[in-house]
């Protein structure tokens, strides 16, 4: 059977969904189809595979081999055309899921925002209501407010002002992230404040409103005590939300799954979701940008390893022990690969040396081109203004003037180091104008292209800030503990985080008297007798 | 600590007649070591904590040479006086007493032939 003809008609289990595995959903992955066609044309041999005993879960673990599906005649979808613009059913589902998610998050945010506003209004208006209600309801029975009482008015006013400023400072900040679960401490504090204010209202309603108490000073003191207690609750909020996690308690190591970049951070006692947020904020500053183009070499090497061996199943499909067959097949492949004399390490070595040489050569050309380009412009001095008023340029025009002379060398260098998709021409010209404005040397201009910088340095479509998923076995609102492991998954890579507790350090003291530093000469005499 | 049990050692009794040179009576060798000296610098001792008195040089043709004293010998006794716990200067004085014409030394010497014999045959050196 010709391998090419089996591709044209059937659909197979696709492994390329964005994290979601759908059993039994047939969809077409165009790129993979094209590359596999190319592969099949280059190979001369015929491959026959047994069908899997169970449906494969998403990513098929057997790469380089195709899965033959015997049911394709009945269940082929209509999306078999070769049009580039066809959308598979999975794409549509994915788009609607994205829409739902974004709308859902916004709803949640507005909900919490309105709750917070209601609570804040309640908290601020309650003392004022306590003070004003007696005057409205029973003004004639009230005792006149003496000096001490009026002094308390000033106290209430200023304490309310301080509370207002403190709440503004602590809570009125634009949210920096949307976390999967509710922030436990904030929820607890909101409940505490609500209970507190409710109990004060209850007491007020029963003991003051019902009995229409005449002692106005007592009422004012009651209102002052409420404001004091609110200030103490605010102190509790500062300690729980801000201070508690400042003392470092855990050392987390964050490793990127694609290239093994590793960093270590010290965190305090946080819940897993807050720790994940802190780690992501560090990620955007510290880790070099994720470059998928750099990983293609190892993937092609891996594909070559597996493509070199073929497994023939002589018994044919329909064998009952299909699962065991797959198991023994892979074992046979591993054994054969181990015995085969492999010279791929040689190729790798020479290829890397060659690549290194090429990069250095291009870099040399680039450095020379940029240095030469920078010599063509200089900052305008006063005397130049009188000489040639027509040629004056602003930084953007100056950048555009000298950019063509270095563009080719820069583009070649970026292609060799596989960075060309990170930098657009517009961004390069902007950076050049920036460097010219700030009197930077050519070396300073080039530095951002010679080494990969942190993710935030690049354009927005590299950030992927809205596509992080927290994967954890423990509940994400539980605290970090020694040995907890969780993952932060982005589109095509993930960060694996392991936690270790910082050990308890026991220090002892040794006192050295400054006068105790004394020295003697080493004697070695020889005397003749 | 006496580590002489680790290596086959010979103990020798050596009698040196002092030679008169002008006003001085000389013995014809040099000593090094002492409890006030740095034992780590001693090239002849096996145990670098040994602060005993060692013979560091023999004048060829002198009285010590004639009496068969060798370089590297450790002087244990001089005329009956123990030399293992002596300062360098005290040792020098004991050897250069003007009243004595003859010094009788008890020295310890590491013997290479004995070492070879012992490793091959297993017989101990005679004391």
């Amino acid at each position: 059977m010709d391998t090419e003809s089996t591709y044209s008609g059937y659909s197979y289990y696709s492994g390329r969904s964005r994290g979601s595995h759908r059993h039994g959903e047939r969809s077409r992955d165009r790129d993979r189809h094209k590359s596999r066609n190319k592969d099949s044309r280059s190979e001369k041999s015929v491959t026959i595979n047994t069908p899997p005993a169970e449906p494969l879960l998403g990513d098929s673990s057997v790469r380089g081999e195709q899965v033959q599906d015997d049911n394709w005649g009945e269940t082929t979808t209509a999306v078999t055309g070769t049009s580039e613009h066809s959308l598979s059913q999975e794409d549509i589902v994915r788009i609607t899921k994205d829409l739902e998610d974004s709308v859902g998050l916004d709803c949640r945010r507005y909900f919490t925002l309105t709750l917070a506003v209601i609570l804040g209004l309640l908290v601020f208006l309650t003392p004022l209501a306590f003070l004003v209600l007696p005057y409205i309801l029973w003004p004639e029975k009230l005792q006149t407010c003496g000096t001490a009482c009026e002094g308390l008015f000033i106290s209430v006013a200023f304490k309310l002002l301080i509370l207002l400023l403190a709440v503004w400072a602590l809570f009125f900040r634009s949210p920096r992230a949307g976390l999967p679960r509710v922030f436990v401490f904030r929820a607890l504090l909101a409940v505490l404040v609500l209970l507190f204010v409710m109990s004060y209202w209850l007491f007020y309603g029963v003991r003051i409103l019902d009995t229409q108490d005449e002692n106005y000073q007592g009422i004012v003191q009651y209102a002052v005590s409420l404001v004091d207690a609110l200030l103490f609750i605010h102190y509790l909020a500062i300690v729980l939300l801000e201070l508690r996690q400042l003392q470092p308690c855990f050392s987390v190591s964050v490793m990127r799954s694609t290239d093994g970049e590793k960093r270590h951070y010290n965190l305090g006692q946080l819940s897993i979701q807050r720790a994940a947020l802190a780690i992501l904020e560090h990620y955007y500053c510290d880790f070099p940008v994720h470059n998928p183009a750099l990983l293609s070499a190892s993937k092609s090497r891996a594909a070559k390893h597996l493509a070199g061996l073929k497994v023939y199943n002589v018994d044919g499909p329909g064998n009952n022990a299909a699962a065991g067959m797959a198991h023994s097949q892979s074992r046979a492949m591993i054994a054969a690969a181990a015995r085969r004399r492999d010279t791929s390490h040689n190729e790798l070595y020479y290829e890397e040396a060659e690549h290194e040489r090429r990069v250095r050569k291009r870099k040399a050309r680039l450095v020379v081109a940029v240095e030469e380009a920078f010599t063509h412009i200089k900052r305008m001095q006063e005397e130049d203004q009188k000489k040639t008023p027509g040629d004056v340029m602003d930084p953007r025009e100056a950048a555009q003037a000298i950019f063509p002379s270095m563009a080719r060398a820069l583009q070649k260098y970026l292609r060799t180091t596989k960075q060309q998709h990170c930098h657009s021409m517009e961004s390069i010209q902007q950076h050049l104008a920036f460097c010219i404005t700030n009197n930077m040397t050519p070396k300073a201009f080039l530095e951002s292209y010679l080494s990969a910088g942190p993710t935030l340095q690049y354009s927005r479509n590299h950030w992927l800030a809205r596509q992080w998923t927290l994967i954890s076995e423990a509940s994400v609102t539980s605290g970090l503990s020694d040995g907890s492991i969780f993952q932060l998954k982005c589109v095509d890579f993930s960060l694996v985080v392991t936690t270790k507790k910082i050990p308890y350090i026991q220090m002892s003291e040794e006192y050295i008297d400054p006068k105790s530093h004394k020295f003697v000469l080493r004697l070695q005499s020889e005397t003749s007798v | 600590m006496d580590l002489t049990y680790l290596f086959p050692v010979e103990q020798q009794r050596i009698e040196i007649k002092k030679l008169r040179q002008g006003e001085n009576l000389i013995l014809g060798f040099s000593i090094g070591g002492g409890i006030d000296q740095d034992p780590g610098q001693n090239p002849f001792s096996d145990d670098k904590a040994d602060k005993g008195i060692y013979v560091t040089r023999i004048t060829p043709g002198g009285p010590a040479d004639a009496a068969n004293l060798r370089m590297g010998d450790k002087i244990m006794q001089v005329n009956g006086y123990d030399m293992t716990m002596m300062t360098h200067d005290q040792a020098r004085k004991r050897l250069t007493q003007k009243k004595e014409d003859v010094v009788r030394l008890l020295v310890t010497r590491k013997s290479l032939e004995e070492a070879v014999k012992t490793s091959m045959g297993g017989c101990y050196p005679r004391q």
Side-chain angles (χ1 to χ4, degrees), chain A residues 523-524, chain B residues 32-34 37-56 72-74:
Chain A
L523 299 172
Q524 55 214 57
Chain B
Q37 306 282 313
D38 177 28
Q41 310 271 352
N42 191 340
F44 303 109
S45 61
D46 294 312
D47 177 17
K48 292 303 170 192
D50 185 6
K51 294 189 176 179
I53 308 290
Y54 280 78
V55 175
T56 56
D73 289 351
K74 178 176 174 182

Side-chain angles (χ1 to χ4, degrees), chain A residues 321 435 439 474 526:
Chain A
C435 290
N439 298 322
E526 191 188 350

Side-chain angles (χ1 to χ4, degrees), chain A residues 522-529, chain B residues 28-31 37-38 56 88:
Chain A
R522 291 178 111 168
L523 299 172
Q524 55 214 57
S525 348
E526 191 188 350
T527 330
S528 53
V529 293
Chain B
F29 66 95
S30 299
I31 54 166
Q37 306 282 313
D38 177 28
T56 56
H88 190 86

Side-chain angles (χ1 to χ4, degrees), chain A residues 54-74:
Chain A
E54 289 175 326
L56 294 172
L57 285 173
D59 283 358
S60 116
S61 52
V62 189
R63 273 198 274 166
E65 290 185 356
Q66 51 273 38
V67 173
Q68 178 184 332
D69 184 14
D70 279 296
N71 297 339
W72 63 268
E74 281 104 41

Side-chain angles (χ1 to χ4, degrees), chain A residues 419-457:
Chain A
Q419 281 178 316
Q420 73 272 17
H421 61 93
C422 297
H423 304 274
S424 67
M425 201 171 81
E426 182 58 41
S427 75
I428 298 175
Q429 282 184 349
Q430 259 177 9
H431 187 241
L432 186 55
F434 168 76
C435 290
I436 293 174
T437 320
N438 292 302
N439 298 322
M440 295 207 194
T441 59
K443 185 165 156 52
F445 163 71
L446 269 183
E447 205 46 48
S448 60
Y449 301 107
L450 294 179
S451 53
T455 315
L456 285 179
Q457 200 182 313

Side-chain angles (χ1 to χ4, degrees), chain A residues 152-407:
Chain A
L152 287 175
F153 277 151
I154 300 178
S155 156
V156 166
F158 274 99
K159 282 182 183 164
L160 270 181
L161 178 66
I162 290 173
L163 187 63
L164 183 67
L165 286 175
V167 165
W168 169 81
L170 190 62
F171 293 108
F172 278 53
R173 294 184 281 194
S174 54
R176 43 193 241 252
L179 295 178
R181 298 261 180 102
V182 71
F183 194 161
V184 172
F185 280 142
R186 279 199 187 183
L188 283 178
L189 279 168
V191 167
L192 179 68
V193 166
L194 197 64
L195 280 177
F196 178 72
V197 172
M198 285 296 119
S199 64
Y200 259 71
W201 268 110
L202 192 64
F203 186 86
Y204 187 78
V206 167
R207 298 289 287 270
I208 296 179
L209 283 181
D210 276 353
T211 58
Q212 298 201 338
D213 196 4
E214 302 101 29
N215 181 7
Y216 193 57
Q217 185 168 356
I219 296 175
V220 178
Q221 274 178 338
Y222 185 68
V224 171
S225 77
L226 170 66
V227 183
D228 286 342
L230 284 173
L231 280 171
F232 286 133
I233 292 184
H234 188 263
Y235 157 74
L236 180 68
I238 294 179
V239 165
L240 279 182
L241 298 179
E242 304 285 324
L243 289 183
R244 189 168 168 262
Q245 77 255 25
L246 287 181
Q247 190 184 44
C249 206
F250 294 101
S251 166
V252 298
S253 86
V254 186
M255 186 154 75
R256 187 155 62 181
S257 63
T258 48
D259 54 356
E261 280 279 337
K262 202 169 180 184
R263 297 278 187 285
H264 299 267
Y265 303 111
N266 279 357
L267 293 179
Q269 279 170 320
L270 289 168
S271 62
I272 289 185
Q273 61 179 3
R274 284 172 80 194
L277 179 63
I279 287 169
L280 278 182
E281 288 173 350
H282 285 294
Y283 169 81
Y284 277 105
C285 298
D286 291 338
F287 276 70
V289 68
H290 165 71
N291 197 346
L294 293 174
L295 309 163
S296 54
S298 62
K299 280 188 188 160
S300 63
R301 276 202 297 276
K304 267 199 286 184
H305 281 306
L306 287 170
L309 293 173
K310 301 253 181 294
V311 179
Y312 296 94
N313 187 4
V314 189
D315 295 331
N319 200 339
N320 283 347
M325 194 68 56
H327 193 62
S328 61
Q329 267 183 23
S330 42
R331 275 183 181 262
M333 280 187 70
I334 294 171
R339 265 181 255 131
R340 180 173 65 171
R341 293 196 60 133
D342 200 354
T343 52
S344 57
H345 60 273
N346 244 351
E347 290 165 25
L348 175 62
Y349 171 71
Y350 285 113
E351 199 181 294
E352 278 196 349
E354 179 62 36
H355 178 76
E356 186 77 15
R357 215 178 54 89
R358 220 178 319 143
V359 165
R360 276 206 218 123
K361 217 165 168 194
R362 293 256 163 106
K363 181 180 163 187
R365 286 207 188 122
L366 174 63
V367 167
V368 164
V370 171
E371 281 173 358
E372 209 211 313
F374 267 66
T375 58
H376 290 313
I377 51 164
K378 68 169 177 141
R379 205 163 254 276
M380 188 180 76
Q381 307 295 328
E382 285 310 313
E383 55 272 10
D384 292 335
Q385 196 173 22
K386 297 166 202 152
K387 283 190 219 165
T388 52
D391 268 344
V392 173
M393 299 184 281
D394 69 354
R396 207 175 57 84
E397 288 163 5
Q400 277 171 353
I402 60 173
F403 180 67
S405 56
M406 66 167 90

